[in-house]
Amino acid sequence: SNKEEKIMLFLVSYLLHTAFAWAPSSITNNKLRQNRRLIIVAHSSEKGFSPAVKKTKKSSANSPQNDTPKSPLLAQLLEEESAKKEALAAEIAELKEREAYVSENTDAGRIPDAVANRMAIRMAILGGVPVFGGLALFIFFYLSATKNDNVFQPTAVAAATTAPWILGLLGIGYGALSASWDDDEPGSLLGVDEFKTNIQRILEGLRRSSKDAKLRESAPTLDKKNTK
């Protein structure tokens, strides 16, 4: 049997040499080397000289223990998160109640007549007096220049007539903000305290509007979490 195997190997190598005789040298050398290796490996495996295949064992990862007790810190964090969710749900419910009340009562966002009249009077006085004073000053400059031949600097005339208009605009804003926005309280003459109170109300309203917008955005997300 050994002689027959040697003869078979010789014939196979001879056939390979003749088959690749007309091929390029690089391809022939590569093919011959590969085939010789295959023949040597096949021949050595029959005699029991094939390299032993090492079986690798898969390392089994330790599964995490799910039955570990919760730490006090984790429990505290869960309680805080639950409290935040409850507070958020309460704020969203309050927002829905306010919106429902405003939609049902059309007079809820309307300014009372007493407050509107009070604001109009103060705006007319504090804004109208400077504006009409500026117009009167402009007429004075014009008559003095045309009839009495008085010469005035253009910059002085512009500054003297522009300042009352600026004071008039400020007076209109101050007249609206210095009026008492409470229906039953007439307010003071100068309206300094009412001005401070109304500024605080405006700032609080802006903060509430921003907060309500955020609550409207988070309301669908909270509803989805509660349904789950």
Side-chain angles (χ1 to χ4, degrees):
S1 62
N2 291 329
K3 291 181 179 180
E4 292 177 356
E5 290 176 359
K6 290 180 180 181
I7 293 170
M8 290 296 294
L9 290 173
F10 176 78
L11 291 175
V12 171
S13 62
Y14 178 77
L15 291 174
L16 290 173
H17 280 289
T18 54
F20 295 99
W22 299 100
S25 60
S26 59
I27 299 174
T28 306
N29 293 330
N30 293 329
K31 293 293 182 179
L32 287 174
R33 288 173 184 174
Q34 293 178 1
N35 291 319
R36 285 176 182 175
R37 289 174 184 174
L38 292 173
I39 293 168
I40 293 169
V41 170
H43 183 64
S44 59
S45 62
E46 292 177 358
K47 293 184 178 182
F49 296 102
S50 60
V53 179
K54 295 182 180 180
K55 296 182 180 179
T56 58
K57 295 182 179 180
K58 295 181 180 180
S59 60
S60 60
N62 295 327
S63 59
Q65 295 179 357
N66 296 324
D67 55 350
T68 56
K70 295 180 180 179
S71 63
L73 181 59
L74 180 59
Q76 183 180 359
L77 292 174
L78 292 175
E79 290 179 359
E80 291 178 357
E81 186 178 359
S82 177
K84 288 180 181 179
K85 288 182 180 179
E86 291 178 358
L88 180 61
E91 291 177 355
I92 291 173
E94 182 182 358
L95 174 62
K96 291 180 179 179
E97 290 178 0
R98 283 192 280 110
E99 289 180 347
Y101 177 78
V102 172
S103 61
E104 292 175 359
N105 300 316
T106 56
D107 296 336
R110 187 176 66 86
I111 300 174
D113 294 335
V115 177
N117 295 331
R118 198 179 299 142
M119 292 172 64
I121 293 171
R122 295 182 70 88
M123 289 168 65
I125 294 173
L126 297 176
V129 171
V131 170
F132 285 108
L135 290 174
L137 190 61
F138 180 78
I139 294 171
F140 169 76
F141 283 123
Y142 177 76
L143 293 176
S144 298
T146 55
K147 291 185 177 181
N148 299 328
D149 294 333
N150 294 326
V151 179
F152 300 98
Q153 293 292 332
T155 55
V157 175
T161 54
T162 304
W165 288 92
I166 296 173
L167 292 175
L169 293 175
L170 295 176
I172 291 172
Y174 183 78
L177 295 174
S178 62
S180 176
W181 290 359
D182 296 328
D183 194 5
D184 299 331
E185 296 182 1
S188 61
L189 180 62
L190 297 177
V192 177
D193 295 334
E194 288 80 4
F195 179 78
K196 295 178 181 179
T197 303
N198 294 332
I199 288 294
Q200 292 178 358
R201 289 175 177 174
I202 291 173
L203 295 177
E204 184 180 355
L206 292 174
R207 287 193 293 266
R208 184 182 300 172
S209 299
S210 178
K211 186 178 179 180
D212 292 346
K214 293 180 180 179
L215 289 175
R216 291 187 186 95
E217 291 178 357
S218 59
T221 306
L222 185 64
D223 294 337
K224 289 179 181 179
K225 290 182 179 179
N226 292 330
T227 53
K228 290 180 181 180

